[in-house]
Amino acid sequence: MALNSPTRCAAPLTRSVPPRSPLSFFNRTLPRPAFSTESPTARLVSVRCQTLTPDGVPSKRPVGLDESEASIGSSGSSSTSSAIDFLTLCHSLKTTKRKGWINHGIKGPESIADHMYRMALMSLIAGDVPGLNRERCIKIAIVHDIAEAIVGDITPSDGIPKAEKSRREQAALNEMCIVLGGGMRAEEIKELWAEYENNSSLEANLVKDFDKVEMILQALEYEIEHGKVLDEFFISTAGKFQTELGKSWAAEILSRRNSRVDKSHN
């Protein structure tokens, strides 16, 4: 619901106001270790804004978080401060390393953001597929692991049931969308994430395949770079591709891996 009077978060130029602390929705002093399975504690604080009276004079009454969020939601876009808060929270996607590679002794492995970025590139260069919305695939690829900014990279080795993993990620996603300030963009992120999680569209099917394709391509690259054998990643994805494009790209990667193995035996 929009506020009855316009809302302004900046201090009026003609009046002096005491300095305010920047918004800080999450207290994150140190990066959370990649092997942790616990979510960091989140703390939301009130947003202090000012409303204008009918004659244009700033009101002294602070606007609460709910009212600010309603105003943001009605305009369909997040405020500048909310956007930067959200992007700052997403920073950990760039620094959190993917746990599967850590568990296999890969030094300096890819981050969560590295993985999602190449998936987005896969969506961008995907050939024409009848009925496929490539732009939506790109969006899903960017969003599908975004909750890991809070919960981290939960893998099967953690022993966490799939339902519990999904619950944690859903809760984290909801917190992130609050930080973003709600509105149309936050709702779109939730929708894209749910679409992927439920595997409920052709686009989700393909991005699910790209998730596996990117992983086995990275596994092959690490085998070459580190001289390791990473059979586990190829075995765990075998027969699980849903789309013809995903199957063909996976087959090409496997073919290159097998050719390399054959050459090493000669």
Side-chain angles (χ1 to χ4, degrees), residues 91-160:
H91 171 73
S92 63
L93 295 170
K94 298 170 62 177
T95 58
T96 303
K97 306 303 182 181
R98 298 251 288 165
K99 193 182 301 180
W101 309 125
I102 294 174
N103 292 345
H104 282 78
I106 301 297
K107 295 183 179 180
E110 65 169 351
S111 68
I112 297 167
D114 292 333
H115 169 65
M116 293 196 294
Y117 176 72
R118 188 153 63 172
M119 286 176 61
L121 285 180
M122 290 176 175
S123 301
L124 178 64
I125 68 171
D128 292 334
V129 176
L132 182 73
N133 184 333
R134 285 194 307 121
E135 180 180 344
R136 191 164 186 84
C137 289
I138 294 170
K139 290 181 177 182
I140 293 173
I142 293 171
V143 164
H144 83 286
D145 278 342
I146 198 169
E148 293 181 10
I150 292 178
V151 301
D153 183 21
I154 301 174
T155 67
S157 64
D158 295 318
I160 296 174

Side-chain angles (χ1 to χ4, degrees), residues 230-249:
L230 300 170
D231 287 336
E232 174 186 327
F233 298 93
F234 298 92
I235 293 172
S236 66
T237 56
K240 294 185 178 179
F241 296 94
Q242 306 172 79
T243 67
E244 291 305 313
L245 185 59
K247 291 174 183 177
S248 65
W249 285 16

Side-chain angles (χ1 to χ4, degrees), residues 68-221:
S68 297
E69 191 175 336
S71 176
I72 291 169
S74 67
S75 67
S77 63
S78 61
S79 69
T80 299
S81 59
S82 294
I84 299 304
D85 288 336
F86 175 80
L87 294 172
T88 299
L89 178 56
C90 289
H91 171 73
S92 63
L93 295 170
K94 298 170 62 177
T95 58
T96 303
K97 306 303 182 181
R98 298 251 288 165
K99 193 182 301 180
W101 309 125
I102 294 174
N103 292 345
H104 282 78
I106 301 297
K107 295 183 179 180
E110 65 169 351
S111 68
I112 297 167
D114 292 333
H115 169 65
M116 293 196 294
Y117 176 72
R118 188 153 63 172
M119 286 176 61
L121 285 180
M122 290 176 175
S123 301
L124 178 64
I125 68 171
D128 292 334
V129 176
L132 182 73
N133 184 333
R134 285 194 307 121
E135 180 180 344
R136 191 164 186 84
C137 289
I138 294 170
K139 290 181 177 182
I140 293 173
I142 293 171
V143 164
H144 83 286
D145 278 342
I146 198 169
E148 293 181 10
I150 292 178
V151 301
D153 183 21
I154 301 174
T155 67
S157 64
D158 295 318
I160 296 174
K162 184 176 180 180
E164 173 59 16
K165 176 179 181 290
S166 181
R167 185 198 66 77
R168 292 186 188 184
E169 292 179 347
Q170 179 71 73
L173 185 72
N174 291 342
E175 294 288 354
M176 294 181 76
C177 288
I178 290 173
V179 171
L180 183 57
M184 293 174 61
R185 295 289 78 80
E187 291 305 313
E188 181 181 26
I189 288 172
K190 289 180 182 180
E191 180 182 308
L192 292 165
W193 183 87
E195 187 173 325
Y196 178 85
E197 187 75 3
N198 297 323
N199 199 24
S200 59
S201 67
L202 175 60
E203 290 76 17
N205 296 162
L206 184 59
V207 178
K208 285 273 189 182
D209 278 1
F210 284 162
D211 185 47
K212 299 177 183 68
V213 168
E214 203 287 323
M215 184 177 71
I216 62 173
L217 177 56
Q218 186 64 76
L220 175 58
E221 291 164 347

